[in-house]
Amino acid sequence: MKLYHSARSSASYRVRIALACKGIPYESRLLNMQAMQHASPEYRLVNPVALVPALDIGERVLGQSLAIIEYLEETHPEPRLLPPDALDRAYVRALSHLIACEIHPLNNLRTLNFVRKAYRQDEQGINTWYKHWIADGFSLLESFFAREKRHGRYCNGNEISMADCCIVPQVANAQRYSCDLAPYPTVMRIHDACIEMPSFIQASPGNQGEKWWLSPIEDGKR
Ligand SMILES: N[C@@H](CCC(=O)N[C@@H](CS)C(=O)NCC(=O)O)C(=O)O
């Protein structure tokens, strides 16, 4: 398998955590998003929607981090990232979607670039936007935890799940923008417990190196 990803992309980080938790080996194809490599014609040959991550499994290239994690779960069931009980699974998926669908897109690169350009915002304006949507989304997460009462050391009791693969990268993004995370103690407690684990350390942005992907020819995409 080849994973096309970017070190600080939270959607990529989700998939790296899942791969590391399951101990699945892969070749890293690191894209430099600051250099807009994800939008290059070369990368569009790999993934026409110009987003990371993408997982090349040989006969197909898979996109969308949660779809990739669910694929990995079905093909490599142990250790599991989705619980055996249907209601628990719905809970884990709801939490994952809350992060991936309600929080992440509002602060994605192209969203921020659009706000910057179309509304003529400087870095201070972008920071205000970013912090607003993090505070809004993290409050939703705290309310969700408070109502469901299914969390323990991790999002779903004491077992790592797909929701943990989502919460840690989202916190990393918020920390990068110096958001105040003190009002979200449950989120932070779960985050702090997860990042001690070797699989989360292995998947972290700081451990991805800086060997950028350059050659679609080498990857057989031309
Ligand atoms: N829903 C997608 C989101 C993928 C995504 O938006 N990735 C970001 C990096 S975290 C990206 O490629 N952004 C490029 C852009 O916004 O132009 C997933 O979960 O894979």
Side-chain angles (χ1 to χ4, degrees), residues 8-12 14 33 36 38 50-53 63-66 68 100 104-105 108-111 113 173:
R8 296 206 301 198
S9 139
S10 59
S12 303
R14 291 173 201 150
M33 287 187 75
M36 296 298 286
H38 63 287
L51 296 172
V52 286
Q64 289 293 331
S65 59
L66 298 187
I68 295 172
H104 174 266
N108 205 355
L109 183 63
R110 66 189 190 290
T111 310
N113 282 345
N173 274 3

mmCIF file with all atom_site columns, all heavy atoms in Angstrom, residues 8-12 14 33 36 38 50-53 63-66 68 100 104-105 108-111 113 173, ligand 1:
data_model
loop_
_atom_site.group_PDB
_atom_site.id
_atom_site.type_symbol
_atom_site.label_atom_id
_atom_site.label_alt_id
_atom_site.label_comp_id
_atom_site.label_asym_id
_atom_site.label_entity_id
_atom_site.label_seq_id
_atom_site.pdbx_PDB_ins_code
_atom_site.Cartn_x
_atom_site.Cartn_y
_atom_site.Cartn_z
_atom_site.occupancy
_atom_site.B_iso_or_equiv
_atom_site.pdbx_formal_charge
_atom_site.auth_seq_id
_atom_site.auth_comp_id
_atom_site.auth_asym_id
_atom_site.auth_atom_id
_atom_site.pdbx_PDB_model_num
ATOM   1   N N   . ARG A 1 8   ? 1.021   17.412 8.367  1.00 0.00 ? 8   ARG A N   1
ATOM   2   C CA  . ARG A 1 8   ? 0.137   18.134 9.275  1.00 0.00 ? 8   ARG A CA  1
ATOM   3   C C   . ARG A 1 8   ? -1.334  18.047 8.895  1.00 0.00 ? 8   ARG A C   1
ATOM   4   O O   . ARG A 1 8   ? -2.186  18.584 9.600  1.00 0.00 ? 8   ARG A O   1
ATOM   5   C CB  . ARG A 1 8   ? 0.577   19.598 9.371  1.00 0.00 ? 8   ARG A CB  1
ATOM   6   C CG  . ARG A 1 8   ? 1.973   19.695 10.002 1.00 0.00 ? 8   ARG A CG  1
ATOM   7   C CD  . ARG A 1 8   ? 2.218   21.010 10.676 1.00 0.00 ? 8   ARG A CD  1
ATOM   8   N NE  . ARG A 1 8   ? 2.096   22.132 9.755  1.00 0.00 ? 8   ARG A NE  1
ATOM   9   C CZ  . ARG A 1 8   ? 2.590   23.349 9.990  1.00 0.00 ? 8   ARG A CZ  1
ATOM   10  N NH1 . ARG A 1 8   ? 3.224   23.587 11.117 1.00 0.00 ? 8   ARG A NH1 1
ATOM   11  N NH2 . ARG A 1 8   ? 2.457   24.322 9.133  1.00 0.00 ? 8   ARG A NH2 1
ATOM   12  N N   . SER A 1 9   ? -1.648  17.394 7.797  1.00 0.00 ? 9   SER A N   1
ATOM   13  C CA  . SER A 1 9   ? -3.063  17.232 7.433  1.00 0.00 ? 9   SER A CA  1
ATOM   14  C C   . SER A 1 9   ? -3.739  16.304 8.433  1.00 0.00 ? 9   SER A C   1
ATOM   15  O O   . SER A 1 9   ? -3.304  15.167 8.644  1.00 0.00 ? 9   SER A O   1
ATOM   16  C CB  . SER A 1 9   ? -3.152  16.641 6.018  1.00 0.00 ? 9   SER A CB  1
ATOM   17  O OG  . SER A 1 9   ? -4.170  15.662 5.933  1.00 0.00 ? 9   SER A OG  1
ATOM   18  N N   . SER A 1 10  ? -4.817  16.800 9.043  1.00 0.00 ? 10  SER A N   1
ATOM   19  C CA  . SER A 1 10  ? -5.446  15.986 10.091 1.00 0.00 ? 10  SER A CA  1
ATOM   20  C C   . SER A 1 10  ? -6.161  14.773 9.501  1.00 0.00 ? 10  SER A C   1
ATOM   21  O O   . SER A 1 10  ? -6.233  13.718 10.131 1.00 0.00 ? 10  SER A O   1
ATOM   22  C CB  . SER A 1 10  ? -6.381  16.828 10.958 1.00 0.00 ? 10  SER A CB  1
ATOM   23  O OG  . SER A 1 10  ? -7.378  17.405 10.174 1.00 0.00 ? 10  SER A OG  1
ATOM   24  N N   . ALA A 1 11  ? -6.685  14.914 8.284  1.00 0.00 ? 11  ALA A N   1
ATOM   25  C CA  . ALA A 1 11  ? -7.352  13.766 7.665  1.00 0.00 ? 11  ALA A CA  1
ATOM   26  C C   . ALA A 1 11  ? -6.318  12.663 7.379  1.00 0.00 ? 11  ALA A C   1
ATOM   27  O O   . ALA A 1 11  ? -6.599  11.470 7.547  1.00 0.00 ? 11  ALA A O   1
ATOM   28  C CB  . ALA A 1 11  ? -8.065  14.198 6.391  1.00 0.00 ? 11  ALA A CB  1
ATOM   29  N N   . SER A 1 12  ? -5.101  13.081 6.985  1.00 0.00 ? 12  SER A N   1
ATOM   30  C CA  . SER A 1 12  ? -4.025  12.100 6.764  1.00 0.00 ? 12  SER A CA  1
ATOM   31  C C   . SER A 1 12  ? -3.620  11.439 8.083  1.00 0.00 ? 12  SER A C   1
ATOM   32  O O   . SER A 1 12  ? -3.403  10.217 8.146  1.00 0.00 ? 12  SER A O   1
ATOM   33  C CB  . SER A 1 12  ? -2.777  12.794 6.196  1.00 0.00 ? 12  SER A CB  1
ATOM   34  O OG  . SER A 1 12  ? -3.048  13.475 5.011  1.00 0.00 ? 12  SER A OG  1
ATOM   35  N N   . ARG A 1 14  ? -5.377  10.902 10.664 1.00 0.00 ? 14  ARG A N   1
ATOM   36  C CA  . ARG A 1 14  ? -6.384  9.892  11.086 1.00 0.00 ? 14  ARG A CA  1
ATOM   37  C C   . ARG A 1 14  ? -6.023  8.521  10.514 1.00 0.00 ? 14  ARG A C   1
ATOM   38  O O   . ARG A 1 14  ? -6.045  7.505  11.206 1.00 0.00 ? 14  ARG A O   1
ATOM   39  C CB  . ARG A 1 14  ? -7.771  10.255 10.532 1.00 0.00 ? 14  ARG A CB  1
ATOM   40  C CG  . ARG A 1 14  ? -8.402  11.469 11.112 1.00 0.00 ? 14  ARG A CG  1
ATOM   41  C CD  . ARG A 1 14  ? -9.693  11.786 10.336 1.00 0.00 ? 14  ARG A CD  1
ATOM   42  N NE  . ARG A 1 14  ? -10.080 13.169 10.514 1.00 0.00 ? 14  ARG A NE  1
ATOM   43  C CZ  . ARG A 1 14  ? -10.736 13.898 9.624  1.00 0.00 ? 14  ARG A CZ  1
ATOM   44  N NH1 . ARG A 1 14  ? -11.139 13.367 8.482  1.00 0.00 ? 14  ARG A NH1 1
ATOM   45  N NH2 . ARG A 1 14  ? -11.029 15.153 9.877  1.00 0.00 ? 14  ARG A NH2 1
ATOM   46  N N   . MET A 1 33  ? 2.014   20.421 1.240  1.00 0.00 ? 33  MET A N   1
ATOM   47  C CA  . MET A 1 33  ? 0.803   21.200 0.984  1.00 0.00 ? 33  MET A CA  1
ATOM   48  C C   . MET A 1 33  ? 1.086   22.689 0.900  1.00 0.00 ? 33  MET A C   1
ATOM   49  O O   . MET A 1 33  ? 0.352   23.422 0.236  1.00 0.00 ? 33  MET A O   1
ATOM   50  C CB  . MET A 1 33  ? -0.252  20.912 2.055  1.00 0.00 ? 33  MET A CB  1
ATOM   51  C CG  . MET A 1 33  ? -0.864  19.542 1.881  1.00 0.00 ? 33  MET A CG  1
ATOM   52  S SD  . MET A 1 33  ? -2.223  19.249 2.995  1.00 0.00 ? 33  MET A SD  1
ATOM   53  C CE  . MET A 1 33  ? -3.499  20.241 2.244  1.00 0.00 ? 33  MET A CE  1
ATOM   54  N N   . MET A 1 36  ? 1.549   23.472 -2.392 1.00 0.00 ? 36  MET A N   1
ATOM   55  C CA  . MET A 1 36  ? 0.344   23.125 -3.156 1.00 0.00 ? 36  MET A CA  1
ATOM   56  C C   . MET A 1 36  ? 0.515   21.848 -3.998 1.00 0.00 ? 36  MET A C   1
ATOM   57  O O   . MET A 1 36  ? -0.120  21.697 -5.044 1.00 0.00 ? 36  MET A O   1
ATOM   58  C CB  . MET A 1 36  ? -0.091  24.296 -4.062 1.00 0.00 ? 36  MET A CB  1
ATOM   59  C CG  . MET A 1 36  ? -0.516  25.532 -3.305 1.00 0.00 ? 36  MET A CG  1
ATOM   60  S SD  . MET A 1 36  ? -1.964  25.266 -2.241 1.00 0.00 ? 36  MET A SD  1
ATOM   61  C CE  . MET A 1 36  ? -3.302  25.178 -3.415 1.00 0.00 ? 36  MET A CE  1
ATOM   62  N N   . HIS A 1 38  ? -0.621  19.060 -3.417 1.00 0.00 ? 38  HIS A N   1
ATOM   63  C CA  . HIS A 1 38  ? -1.880  18.300 -3.460 1.00 0.00 ? 38  HIS A CA  1
ATOM   64  C C   . HIS A 1 38  ? -2.782  18.758 -4.618 1.00 0.00 ? 38  HIS A C   1
ATOM   65  O O   . HIS A 1 38  ? -3.693  18.044 -5.003 1.00 0.00 ? 38  HIS A O   1
ATOM   66  C CB  . HIS A 1 38  ? -2.624  18.431 -2.124 1.00 0.00 ? 38  HIS A CB  1
ATOM   67  C CG  . HIS A 1 38  ? -3.045  19.834 -1.820 1.00 0.00 ? 38  HIS A CG  1
ATOM   68  N ND1 . HIS A 1 38  ? -2.151  20.809 -1.436 1.00 0.00 ? 38  HIS A ND1 1
ATOM   69  C CD2 . HIS A 1 38  ? -4.259  20.429 -1.854 1.00 0.00 ? 38  HIS A CD2 1
ATOM   70  C CE1 . HIS A 1 38  ? -2.792  21.949 -1.234 1.00 0.00 ? 38  HIS A CE1 1
ATOM   71  N NE2 . HIS A 1 38  ? -4.074  21.738 -1.493 1.00 0.00 ? 38  HIS A NE2 1
ATOM   72  N N   . ALA A 1 50  ? -8.011  16.038 -5.513 1.00 0.00 ? 50  ALA A N   1
ATOM   73  C CA  . ALA A 1 50  ? -6.935  16.909 -5.004 1.00 0.00 ? 50  ALA A CA  1
ATOM   74  C C   . ALA A 1 50  ? -6.989  17.116 -3.494 1.00 0.00 ? 50  ALA A C   1
ATOM   75  O O   . ALA A 1 50  ? -6.761  18.217 -2.992 1.00 0.00 ? 50  ALA A O   1
ATOM   76  C CB  . ALA A 1 50  ? -6.947  18.254 -5.730 1.00 0.00 ? 50  ALA A CB  1
ATOM   77  N N   . LEU A 1 51  ? -7.316  16.065 -2.769 1.00 0.00 ? 51  LEU A N   1
ATOM   78  C CA  . LEU A 1 51  ? -7.296  16.109 -1.301 1.00 0.00 ? 51  LEU A CA  1
ATOM   79  C C   . LEU A 1 51  ? -6.411  14.977 -0.794 1.00 0.00 ? 51  LEU A C   1
ATOM   80  O O   . LEU A 1 51  ? -6.293  13.938 -1.454 1.00 0.00 ? 51  LEU A O   1
ATOM   81  C CB  . LEU A 1 51  ? -8.712  15.912 -0.734 1.00 0.00 ? 51  LEU A CB  1
ATOM   82  C CG  . LEU A 1 51  ? -9.753  16.981 -1.054 1.00 0.00 ? 51  LEU A CG  1
ATOM   83  C CD1 . LEU A 1 51  ? -11.131 16.531 -0.576 1.00 0.00 ? 51  LEU A CD1 1
ATOM   84  C CD2 . LEU A 1 51  ? -9.392  18.330 -0.429 1.00 0.00 ? 51  LEU A CD2 1
ATOM   85  N N   . VAL A 1 52  ? -5.808  15.192 0.369  1.00 0.00 ? 52  VAL A N   1
ATOM   86  C CA  . VAL A 1 52  ? -5.112  14.097 1.039  1.00 0.00 ? 52  VAL A CA  1
ATOM   87  C C   . VAL A 1 52  ? -5.907  13.725 2.281  1.00 0.00 ? 52  VAL A C   1
ATOM   88  O O   . VAL A 1 52  ? -6.581  14.590 2.853  1.00 0.00 ? 52  VAL A O   1
ATOM   89  C CB  . VAL A 1 52  ? -3.659  14.481 1.443  1.00 0.00 ? 52  VAL A CB  1
ATOM   90  C CG1 . VAL A 1 52  ? -2.771  14.526 0.230  1.00 0.00 ? 52  VAL A CG1 1
ATOM   91  C CG2 . VAL A 1 52  ? -3.593  15.784 2.221  1.00 0.00 ? 52  VAL A CG2 1
ATOM   92  N N   . PRO A 1 53  ? -5.895  12.452 2.663  1.00 0.00 ? 53  PRO A N   1
ATOM   93  C CA  . PRO A 1 53  ? -5.081  11.370 2.155  1.00 0.00 ? 53  PRO A CA  1
ATOM   94  C C   . PRO A 1 53  ? -5.721  10.626 0.982  1.00 0.00 ? 53  PRO A C   1
ATOM   95  O O   . PRO A 1 53  ? -6.906  10.800 0.687  1.00 0.00 ? 53  PRO A O   1
ATOM   96  C CB  . PRO A 1 53  ? -5.022  10.426 3.359  1.00 0.00 ? 53  PRO A CB  1
ATOM   97  C CG  . PRO A 1 53  ? -6.401  10.548 3.952  1.00 0.00 ? 53  PRO A CG  1
ATOM   98  C CD  . PRO A 1 53  ? -6.753  12.003 3.775  1.00 0.00 ? 53  PRO A CD  1
ATOM   99  N N   . GLY A 1 63  ? -10.062 7.196  -1.448 1.00 0.00 ? 63  GLY A N   1
ATOM   100 C CA  . GLY A 1 63  ? -10.048 8.539  -0.867 1.00 0.00 ? 63  GLY A CA  1
ATOM   101 C C   . GLY A 1 63  ? -10.975 8.599  0.327  1.00 0.00 ? 63  GLY A C   1
ATOM   102 O O   . GLY A 1 63  ? -11.686 7.632  0.627  1.00 0.00 ? 63  GLY A O   1
ATOM   103 N N   . GLN A 1 64  ? -10.976 9.729  1.014  1.00 0.00 ? 64  GLN A N   1
ATOM   104 C CA  . GLN A 1 64  ? -11.806 10.000 2.193  1.00 0.00 ? 64  GLN A CA  1
ATOM   105 C C   . GLN A 1 64  ? -11.341 9.168  3.399  1.00 0.00 ? 64  GLN A C   1
ATOM   106 O O   . GLN A 1 64  ? -11.509 7.938  3.443  1.00 0.00 ? 64  GLN A O   1
ATOM   107 C CB  . GLN A 1 64  ? -13.298 9.752  1.922  1.00 0.00 ? 64  GLN A CB  1
ATOM   108 C CG  . GLN A 1 64  ? -13.905 10.793 0.997  1.00 0.00 ? 64  GLN A CG  1
ATOM   109 C CD  . GLN A 1 64  ? -13.957 12.188 1.619  1.00 0.00 ? 64  GLN A CD  1
ATOM   110 O OE1 . GLN A 1 64  ? -14.049 12.353 2.820  1.00 0.00 ? 64  GLN A OE1 1
ATOM   111 N NE2 . GLN A 1 64  ? -13.872 13.199 0.775  1.00 0.00 ? 64  GLN A NE2 1
ATOM   112 N N   . SER A 1 65  ? -10.806 9.876  4.371  1.00 0.00 ? 65  SER A N   1
ATOM   113 C CA  . SER A 1 65  ? -10.167 9.193  5.506  1.00 0.00 ? 65  SER A CA  1
ATOM   114 C C   . SER A 1 65  ? -11.077 8.179  6.216  1.00 0.00 ? 65  SER A C   1
ATOM   115 O O   . SER A 1 65  ? -10.628 7.078  6.539  1.00 0.00 ? 65  SER A O   1
ATOM   116 C CB  . SER A 1 65  ? -9.654  10.230 6.511  1.00 0.00 ? 65  SER A CB  1
ATOM   117 O OG  . SER A 1 65  ? -10.697 11.030 6.981  1.00 0.00 ? 65  SER A OG  1
ATOM   118 N N   . LEU A 1 66  ? -12.343 8.540  6.421  1.00 0.00 ? 66  LEU A N   1
ATOM   119 C CA  . LEU A 1 66  ? -13.184 7.596  7.182  1.00 0.00 ? 66  LEU A CA  1
ATOM   120 C C   . LEU A 1 66  ? -13.522 6.363  6.342  1.00 0.00 ? 66  LEU A C   1
ATOM   121 O O   . LEU A 1 66  ? -13.593 5.240  6.870  1.00 0.00 ? 66  LEU A O   1
ATOM   122 C CB  . LEU A 1 66  ? -14.459 8.279  7.687  1.00 0.00 ? 66  LEU A CB  1
ATOM   123 C CG  . LEU A 1 66  ? -14.236 9.436  8.665  1.00 0.00 ? 66  LEU A CG  1
ATOM   124 C CD1 . LEU A 1 66  ? -15.572 9.926  9.247  1.00 0.00 ? 66  LEU A CD1 1
ATOM   125 C CD2 . LEU A 1 66  ? -13.304 9.062  9.806  1.00 0.00 ? 66  LEU A CD2 1
ATOM   126 N N   . ILE A 1 68  ? -11.521 5.144  4.146  1.00 0.00 ? 68  ILE A N   1
ATOM   127 C CA  . ILE A 1 68  ? -10.275 4.356  4.153  1.00 0.00 ? 68  ILE A CA  1
ATOM   128 C C   . ILE A 1 68  ? -10.179 3.561  5.456  1.00 0.00 ? 68  ILE A C   1
ATOM   129 O O   . ILE A 1 68  ? -9.862  2.361  5.446  1.00 0.00 ? 68  ILE A O   1
ATOM   130 C CB  . ILE A 1 68  ? -9.041  5.279  3.975  1.00 0.00 ? 68  ILE A CB  1
ATOM   131 C CG1 . ILE A 1 68  ? -9.064  5.946  2.597  1.00 0.00 ? 68  ILE A CG1 1
ATOM   132 C CG2 . ILE A 1 68  ? -7.747  4.496  4.180  1.00 0.00 ? 68  ILE A CG2 1
ATOM   133 C CD1 . ILE A 1 68  ? -7.987  7.023  2.395  1.00 0.00 ? 68  ILE A CD1 1
ATOM   134 N N   . ALA A 1 100 ? -15.150 14.959 11.502 1.00 0.00 ? 100 ALA A N   1
ATOM   135 C CA  . ALA A 1 100 ? -14.752 15.004 10.086 1.00 0.00 ? 100 ALA A CA  1
ATOM   136 C C   . ALA A 1 100 ? -15.716 15.821 9.225  1.00 0.00 ? 100 ALA A C   1
ATOM   137 O O   . ALA A 1 100 ? -15.301 16.389 8.211  1.00 0.00 ? 100 ALA A O   1
ATOM   138 C CB  . ALA A 1 100 ? -14.633 13.586 9.543  1.00 0.00 ? 100 ALA A CB  1
ATOM   139 N N   . HIS A 1 104 ? -13.959 19.812 10.861 1.00 0.00 ? 104 HIS A N   1
ATOM   140 C CA  . HIS A 1 104 ? -12.804 19.915 9.949  1.00 0.00 ? 104 HIS A CA  1
ATOM   141 C C   . HIS A 1 104 ? -13.034 20.783 8.706  1.00 0.00 ? 104 HIS A C   1
ATOM   142 O O   . HIS A 1 104 ? -12.213 21.657 8.396  1.00 0.00 ? 104 HIS A O   1
ATOM   143 C CB  . HIS A 1 104 ? -12.328 18.504 9.581  1.00 0.00 ? 104 HIS A CB  1
ATOM   144 C CG  . HIS A 1 104 ? -11.254 18.484 8.552  1.00 0.00 ? 104 HIS A CG  1
ATOM   145 N ND1 . HIS A 1 104 ? -11.516 18.343 7.203  1.00 0.00 ? 104 HIS A ND1 1
ATOM   146 C CD2 . HIS A 1 104 ? -9.911  18.633 8.662  1.00 0.00 ? 104 HIS A CD2 1
ATOM   147 C CE1 . HIS A 1 104 ? -10.384 18.379 6.532  1.00 0.00 ? 104 HIS A CE1 1
ATOM   148 N NE2 . HIS A 1 104 ? -9.397  18.550 7.393  1.00 0.00 ? 104 HIS A NE2 1
ATOM   149 N N   . PRO A 1 105 ? -14.153 20.610 7.958  1.00 0.00 ? 105 PRO A N   1
ATOM   150 C CA  . PRO A 1 105 ? -14.268 21.339 6.681  1.00 0.00 ? 105 PRO A CA  1
ATOM   151 C C   . PRO A 1 105 ? -14.284 22.862 6.850  1.00 0.00 ? 105 PRO A C   1
ATOM   152 O O   . PRO A 1 105 ? -13.856 23.586 5.953  1.00 0.00 ? 105 PRO A O   1
ATOM   153 C CB  . PRO A 1 105 ? -15.611 20.851 6.108  1.00 0.00 ? 105 PRO A CB  1
ATOM   154 C CG  . PRO A 1 105 ? -15.885 19.564 6.805  1.00 0.00 ? 105 PRO A CG  1
ATOM   155 C CD  . PRO A 1 105 ? -15.283 19.687 8.173  1.00 0.00 ? 105 PRO A CD  1
ATOM   156 N N   . ASN A 1 108 ? -10.636 23.945 6.778  1.00 0.00 ? 108 ASN A N   1
ATOM   157 C CA  . ASN A 1 108 ? -9.759  23.324 5.788  1.00 0.00 ? 108 ASN A CA  1
ATOM   158 C C   . ASN A 1 108 ? -9.018  24.403 4.991  1.00 0.00 ? 108 ASN A C   1
ATOM   159 O O   . ASN A 1 108 ? -9.451  25.560 4.936  1.00 0.00 ? 108 ASN A O   1
ATOM   160 C CB  . ASN A 1 108 ? -10.603 22.446 4.851  1.00 0.00 ? 108 ASN A CB  1
ATOM   161 C CG  . ASN A 1 108 ? -9.780  21.338 4.231  1.00 0.00 ? 108 ASN A CG  1
ATOM   162 O OD1 . ASN A 1 108 ? -8.567  21.262 4.418  1.00 0.00 ? 108 ASN A OD1 1
ATOM   163 N ND2 . ASN A 1 108 ? -10.438 20.472 3.479  1.00 0.00 ? 108 ASN A ND2 1
ATOM   164 N N   . LEU A 1 109 ? -7.908  24.000 4.391  1.00 0.00 ? 109 LEU A N   1
ATOM   165 C CA  . LEU A 1 109 ? -7.046  24.954 3.687  1.00 0.00 ? 109 LEU A CA  1
ATOM   166 C C   . LEU A 1 109 ? -7.808  25.791 2.663  1.00 0.00 ? 109 LEU A C   1
ATOM   167 O O   . LEU A 1 109 ? -7.704  27.019 2.625  1.00 0.00 ? 109 LEU A O   1
ATOM   168 C CB  . LEU A 1 109 ? -5.894  24.185 3.009  1.00 0.00 ? 109 LEU A CB  1
ATOM   169 C CG  . LEU A 1 109 ? -4.852  25.017 2.287  1.00 0.00 ? 109 LEU A CG  1
ATOM   170 C CD1 . LEU A 1 109 ? -4.125  25.937 3.271  1.00 0.00 ? 109 LEU A CD1 1
ATOM   171 C CD2 . LEU A 1 109 ? -3.847  24.116 1.590  1.00 0.00 ? 109 LEU A CD2 1
ATOM   172 N N   . ARG A 1 110 ? -8.629  25.124 1.818  1.00 0.00 ? 110 ARG A N   1
ATOM   173 C CA  . ARG A 1 110 ? -9.268  25.909 0.772  1.00 0.00 ? 110 ARG A CA  1
ATOM   174 C C   . ARG A 1 110 ? -10.386 26.788 1.315  1.00 0.00 ? 110 ARG A C   1
ATOM   175 O O   . ARG A 1 110 ? -10.706 27.825 0.744  1.00 0.00 ? 110 ARG A O   1
ATOM   176 C CB  . ARG A 1 110 ? -9.738  25.022 -0.387 1.00 0.00 ? 110 ARG A CB  1
ATOM   177 C CG  . ARG A 1 110 ? -10.830 24.063 -0.095 1.00 0.00 ? 110 ARG A CG  1
ATOM   178 C CD  . ARG A 1 110 ? -10.976 23.146 -1.313 1.00 0.00 ? 110 ARG A CD  1
ATOM   179 N NE  . ARG A 1 110 ? -12.169 22.330 -1.229 1.00 0.00 ? 110 ARG A NE  1
ATOM   180 C CZ  . ARG A 1 110 ? -12.319 21.338 -0.359 1.00 0.00 ? 110 ARG A CZ  1
ATOM   181 N NH1 . ARG A 1 110 ? -11.372 21.058 0.525  1.00 0.00 ? 110 ARG A NH1 1
ATOM   182 N NH2 . ARG A 1 110 ? -13.438 20.633 -0.348 1.00 0.00 ? 110 ARG A NH2 1
ATOM   183 N N   . THR A 1 111 ? -10.969 26.390 2.456  1.00 0.00 ? 111 THR A N   1
ATOM   184 C CA  . THR A 1 111 ? -11.959 27.267 3.111  1.00 0.00 ? 111 THR A CA  1
ATOM   185 C C   . THR A 1 111 ? -11.250 28.529 3.601  1.00 0.00 ? 111 THR A C   1
ATOM   186 O O   . THR A 1 111 ? -11.713 29.647 3.346  1.00 0.00 ? 111 THR A O   1
ATOM   187 C CB  . THR A 1 111 ? -12.598 26.534 4.324  1.00 0.00 ? 111 THR A CB  1
ATOM   188 O OG1 . THR A 1 111 ? -13.034 25.251 3.898  1.00 0.00 ? 111 THR A OG1 1
ATOM   189 C CG2 . THR A 1 111 ? -13.752 27.311 4.904  1.00 0.00 ? 111 THR A CG2 1
ATOM   190 N N   . ASN A 1 113 ? -8.398  29.760 2.620  1.00 0.00 ? 113 ASN A N   1
ATOM   191 C CA  . ASN A 1 113 ? -7.901  30.552 1.485  1.00 0.00 ? 113 ASN A CA  1
ATOM   192 C C   . ASN A 1 113 ? -9.019  31.385 0.869  1.00 0.00 ? 113 ASN A C   1
ATOM   193 O O   . ASN A 1 113 ? -8.814  32.532 0.471  1.00 0.00 ? 113 ASN A O   1
ATOM   194 C CB  . ASN A 1 113 ? -7.289  29.638 0.418  1.00 0.00 ? 113 ASN A CB  1
ATOM   195 C CG  . ASN A 1 113 ? -5.893  29.190 0.824  1.00 0.00 ? 113 ASN A CG  1
ATOM   196 O OD1 . ASN A 1 113 ? -5.282  29.764 1.728  1.00 0.00 ? 113 ASN A OD1 1
ATOM   197 N ND2 . ASN A 1 113 ? -5.389  28.141 0.185  1.00 0.00 ? 113 ASN A ND2 1
ATOM   198 N N   . ASN A 1 173 ? -4.506  20.167 15.321 1.00 0.00 ? 173 ASN A N   1
ATOM   199 C CA  . ASN A 1 173 ? -4.780  21.358 14.498 1.00 0.00 ? 173 ASN A CA  1
ATOM   200 C C   . ASN A 1 173 ? -5.093  22.561 15.375 1.00 0.00 ? 173 ASN A C   1
ATOM   201 O O   . ASN A 1 173 ? -4.592  23.660 15.152 1.00 0.00 ? 173 ASN A O   1
ATOM   202 C CB  . ASN A 1 173 ? -6.001  21.108 13.599 1.00 0.00 ? 173 ASN A CB  1
ATOM   203 C CG  . ASN A 1 173 ? -5.626  20.437 12.304 1.00 0.00 ? 173 ASN A CG  1
ATOM   204 O OD1 . ASN A 1 173 ? -4.461  20.104 12.097 1.00 0.00 ? 173 ASN A OD1 1
ATOM   205 N ND2 . ASN A 1 173 ? -6.603  20.217 11.444 1.00 0.00 ? 173 ASN A ND2 1
HETATM 206 N N1  . LIG B 2 .   ? -13.227 14.589 4.126  1.00 0.00 ? 1   LIG B N1  1
HETATM 207 C C1  . LIG B 2 .   ? -11.900 14.385 3.632  1.00 0.00 ? 1   LIG B C1  1
HETATM 208 C C2  . LIG B 2 .   ? -11.112 15.638 3.865  1.00 0.00 ? 1   LIG B C2  1
HETATM 209 C C3  . LIG B 2 .   ? -9.798  15.614 3.140  1.00 0.00 ? 1   LIG B C3  1
HETATM 210 C C4  . LIG B 2 .   ? -9.162  16.979 3.213  1.00 0.00 ? 1   LIG B C4  1
HETATM 211 O O1  . LIG B 2 .   ? -9.860  17.997 3.121  1.00 0.00 ? 1   LIG B O1  1
HETATM 212 N N2  . LIG B 2 .   ? -7.856  17.002 3.387  1.00 0.00 ? 1   LIG B N2  1
HETATM 213 C C5  . LIG B 2 .   ? -7.198  18.264 3.503  1.00 0.00 ? 1   LIG B C5  1
HETATM 214 C C6  . LIG B 2 .   ? -5.980  18.181 4.375  1.00 0.00 ? 1   LIG B C6  1
HETATM 215 S S1  . LIG B 2 .   ? -6.462  17.820 6.031  1.00 0.00 ? 1   LIG B S1  1
HETATM 216 C C7  . LIG B 2 .   ? -6.837  18.757 2.123  1.00 0.00 ? 1   LIG B C7  1
HETATM 217 O O2  . LIG B 2 .   ? -6.389  17.978 1.305  1.00 0.00 ? 1   LIG B O2  1
HETATM 218 N N3  . LIG B 2 .   ? -7.054  20.044 1.893  1.00 0.00 ? 1   LIG B N3  1
HETATM 219 C C8  . LIG B 2 .   ? -6.727  20.649 0.665  1.00 0.00 ? 1   LIG B C8  1
HETATM 220 C C9  . LIG B 2 .   ? -7.522  21.888 0.428  1.00 0.00 ? 1   LIG B C9  1
HETATM 221 O O3  . LIG B 2 .   ? -8.344  22.272 1.263  1.00 0.00 ? 1   LIG B O3  1
HETATM 222 O O4  . LIG B 2 .   ? -7.321  22.470 -0.638 1.00 0.00 ? 1   LIG B O4  1
HETATM 223 C C10 . LIG B 2 .   ? -11.254 13.189 4.347  1.00 0.00 ? 1   LIG B C10 1
HETATM 224 O O5  . LIG B 2 .   ? -11.687 12.879 5.451  1.00 0.00 ? 1   LIG B O5  1
HETATM 225 O O6  . LIG B 2 .   ? -10.336 12.573 3.781  1.00 0.00 ? 1   LIG B O6  1
#
